[in-house]
Amino acid sequence: VVLKGSIEIVFGGNKEAAAYAEIVAMGGITKQVKRQLISTVGSILHTHFSIHPTRFIFKVFDINSLPLPSKL
């Protein structure tokens, strides 16, 4: 987990508190797990950092879903 308060994020043209979160996984991220992660992270951001759930972007990336490189 990396928190960087020194990076400015602007959503909708204003500077209210906002956040960007990214998870890179190696499998095991089902739709249900993804929903739970988004809910949990949103709750933490709102409770501890006063960031409204509509003011954060959450990106989930599963590297196992990438196409395998060609062996040609």
Side-chain angles (χ1 to χ4, degrees):
V1 174
V2 177
L3 295 175
K4 293 185 178 181
S6 61
I7 298 173
E8 187 174 305
I9 297 176
V10 178
F11 284 168
N14 67 50
K15 294 182 181 182
E16 292 178 37
Y20 171 84
E22 183 174 323
I23 287 185
V24 179
M26 294 176 13
I29 302 291
T30 64
K31 286 182 181 181
Q32 183 177 357
V33 170
K34 183 177 177 179
R35 286 184 188 126
Q36 186 62 44
L37 283 169
I38 292 169
S39 175
T40 301
V41 171
S43 178
I44 291 168
L45 290 172
H46 191 242
T47 302
H48 297 285
F49 300 101
S50 300
I51 297 173
H52 194 273
T54 60
R55 304 252 332 137
F56 82 91
I57 295 174
F58 192 81
K59 178 180 174 183
V60 179
F61 183 72
D62 188 346
I63 63 171
N64 285 342
S65 66
L66 294 175
L68 296 175
S70 175
K71 301 218 180 206
L72 294 175

